[in-house]
Amino acid sequence: MIGYSFMGAAHSQAWRTVNRVYDLPARVRMAKICGRDAAKVAEAADRLGWDAHTTDWRALVTSDDIDVVDICTPGDSHAEIALAALAAGKHVICEKPLANTVDEARAMTAAATTAAAAGVRSMCGFNYRRVPAVALMRQLVAEGRLGTIRHVRATYLQDWIVDPQFPLVWRLEKDKAGSGALGDIGAHIIDLTQFVTGQRITGVSAVTETFVKERPLPGASSGLAAEVDGTATATGTVTVDDAAIFVARLDDGALATYEATRFATGRKNALRVEINGSLGSVVFDLERLNELEFYDATRPTAEQGFARILVTEAEHPYMAAWWPPGHIIGYEHSFTHEMRDFVEAVATGVDPTPSFADALQVQLVLDAVTRSAELGSQWTDVEPALAALAV
C-alpha cells in the first residue's frame, strides 16, 4: 500500500479484517507500506499492521513478493503509480477520484484494459457502493420496484473548512487534489447515483464557488484534522472550489440535482440520496448508514407511507458474515466489503467493479461540471467514456 494517512488507515483496517470475516479463495498478506517520510511510515507500518515499510514506491511496485498495489495517495500521484504498477503486472486498487484530469484517467483506463488481457485486474475505490443499504437500494431499482426513474437528488455536505483560519492543506490545492469539494466528495455522489440507478449522467449545468480564497500555510499536520493556528501569518491561495452545485440529465431521461460543499456549517459527513420513480421512492442517508426509507406506491392507499428498512438481515448484501439482525455496522465495514469483492474478483479471474473505465466516466462528469461553471452555467454534454478512450 502506498500512503498511510486517512484512507491508508481505512484500507489497512479492511486488509487486516477481510480474511477474518469472509471465507475467500485467497489470503491477504500485508507485505509492505510506502510513504515519503521514513520515520512516519515506520510508525504507520507498526500501528496499521504491515510487515515492512519503504519510502521507494518504484521499488515496491516491481517487487517480486507483491501481487497487489493499493494506492491511497493524493490524486496528483495516482496516474504515475498506477501505470507503473500495471506495467509491472500488479493488480491495482486506486482510491477515488481516479485521477486529477481526464487525460490521466484516460491513460490509466487504457493501461488497465491492456493489463486485463493478461489477467491483471484493477478497481477504483468508491467505497459507498459497498454499504449494504446502498447495495439494497440498487437491488430495489434493478428489480423494478421504483418503476421508471424520474428524479435523483444527491447531496454531500461537510463543514471542516468553514473557519477561514483553517490551513491550506493539500486538498485545497488544484495541482495536488485536482478539484475541491467537487472531486473530493462530489465524485462519491456521482458514482453512487449512477451505480444505484444504472444510468449515466449525460449533461450538466453547474456553478462552483470558492468562499475563502486565501488561507494560512499549514504546519506539520495537513489532513482533515489539521489544527487551526490563529498565529500563522504566511498565507497561500486556495485554487479549488469550496462548493459545487449542478443539475443533470441521466441517459434514460431522469432529472437530477447534485450539491457538494465543505461549507455546510454543522454538517460533518452528510451524504444523502433520494430516488423518485413512477412506482415508489427510496432514500439513503449516510448518518443512518444501516437504514433505507422505502415508499411503495403499489400498496393500498390506506397503507402507503415511507417505511424504514433496517438493513441488518443475513439476506441483505454483505451482512451474512457479520452480526445477528439488528446489530449494526459502521463506516469502516464498507472498506472491508470493498476488499472482499476485490480479492474475490482477482482470485477468480473476474474484472472487479467499479473499473477504471467506470471511474473515467465519473472523471468526465467532473470535467463537464468544471467546464459548465467556467462558462457561466452553460449546458455541457458529458463525453461518453468509450469515446474518450477512442481519442
Side-chain angles (χ1 to χ4, degrees), residues 182-359:
L182 175 61
D184 186 20
I185 55 180
H188 270 302
I189 52 177
I190 291 167
D191 179 73
L192 192 154
T193 54
Q194 293 186 137
F195 169 70
V196 167
T197 63
Q199 298 185 33
R200 299 293 189 186
I201 296 171
T202 59
V204 300
S205 174
V207 292
T208 61
E209 183 58 67
T210 303
F211 298 111
V212 177
K213 296 176 172 56
E214 292 281 328
R215 288 186 177 273
L217 296 180
S221 178
S222 58
L224 290 176
E227 293 183 1
V228 175
D229 181 1
T231 66
T233 56
T235 64
T237 302
V238 177
T239 51
V240 299
D241 59 279
D242 286 333
I245 299 175
F246 63 98
V247 296
R249 186 178 290 278
L250 278 62
D251 59 11
D252 204 28
L255 300 180
T257 61
Y258 294 83
E259 180 182 5
T261 180
R262 300 189 290 212
F263 269 73
T265 305
R267 298 295 185 184
K268 303 306 175 185
N269 197 40
L271 183 159
R272 181 181 171 89
V273 171
E274 178 170 334
I275 313 292
N276 304 133
S278 58
L279 299 179
S281 295
V282 63
V283 183
F284 170 72
D285 186 334
L286 183 61
E287 293 181 348
R288 294 159 54 196
L289 180 144
N290 293 271
E291 301 177 23
L292 279 184
E293 293 181 63
F294 178 49
Y295 184 97
D296 184 354
T298 67
R299 294 186 62 82
T301 303
E303 299 175 7
Q304 288 179 7
F306 276 94
R308 169 181 172 266
I309 302 174
L310 184 62
V311 189
T312 59
E313 299 292 333
E315 57 263 42
H316 287 142
Y318 301 105
M319 290 304 297
W322 293 107
W323 319 120
H327 292 70
I328 61 176
I329 62 171
Y331 170 77
E332 72 275 14
H333 295 78
S334 66
F335 294 97
T336 303
H337 302 157
E338 182 178 299
M339 303 319 172
R340 188 210 79 160
D341 290 349
F342 183 76
V343 170
E344 193 166 72
V346 168
T348 58
V350 174
D351 287 323
T353 59
S355 66
F356 278 18
D358 295 326

Side-chain angles (χ1 to χ4, degrees), residues 53-259:
H53 55 87
T54 181
T55 58
D56 186 351
W57 70 260
R58 290 174 178 83
L60 183 148
V61 302
T62 57
S63 179
D64 290 339
D65 66 341
I66 300 295
D67 299 310
V68 174
V69 174
D70 184 353
I71 303 171
C72 293
T73 58
D76 61 333
S77 59
H78 284 186
E80 184 180 14
I81 297 171
L83 292 174
L86 290 168
K90 310 303 183 185
H91 307 291
V92 174
I93 180 169
C94 182
E95 255 305 317
K96 47 58 59 188
L98 185 64
N100 277 3
T101 69
V102 168
D103 286 345
E104 288 177 345
R106 183 186 290 121
M108 293 167 73
T109 303
T113 301
T114 299
V120 177
R121 311 297 169 186
S122 54
M123 186 176 87
C124 189
F126 284 102
N127 66 295
Y128 291 132
R129 288 187 176 211
R130 268 72 187 200
V131 172
V134 170
L136 178 60
M137 194 180 195
R138 172 184 167 91
Q139 184 178 314
L140 291 171
V141 173
E143 290 173 352
R145 299 291 299 278
L146 269 65
T148 301
I149 304 303
R150 291 170 175 161
H151 289 289
V152 173
R153 297 182 192 86
T155 59
Y156 202 159
L157 314 177
Q158 297 179 344
D159 73 349
W160 59 275
I161 55 173
V162 166
D163 188 338
Q165 291 302 308
F166 189 91
L168 187 70
V169 297
W170 69 265
R171 292 177 188 271
L172 304 180
E173 297 180 88
K174 185 176 178 65
D175 61 337
K176 296 181 179 67
S179 65
L182 175 61
D184 186 20
I185 55 180
H188 270 302
I189 52 177
I190 291 167
D191 179 73
L192 192 154
T193 54
Q194 293 186 137
F195 169 70
V196 167
T197 63
Q199 298 185 33
R200 299 293 189 186
I201 296 171
T202 59
V204 300
S205 174
V207 292
T208 61
E209 183 58 67
T210 303
F211 298 111
V212 177
K213 296 176 172 56
E214 292 281 328
R215 288 186 177 273
L217 296 180
S221 178
S222 58
L224 290 176
E227 293 183 1
V228 175
D229 181 1
T231 66
T233 56
T235 64
T237 302
V238 177
T239 51
V240 299
D241 59 279
D242 286 333
I245 299 175
F246 63 98
V247 296
R249 186 178 290 278
L250 278 62
D251 59 11
D252 204 28
L255 300 180
T257 61
Y258 294 83
E259 180 182 5

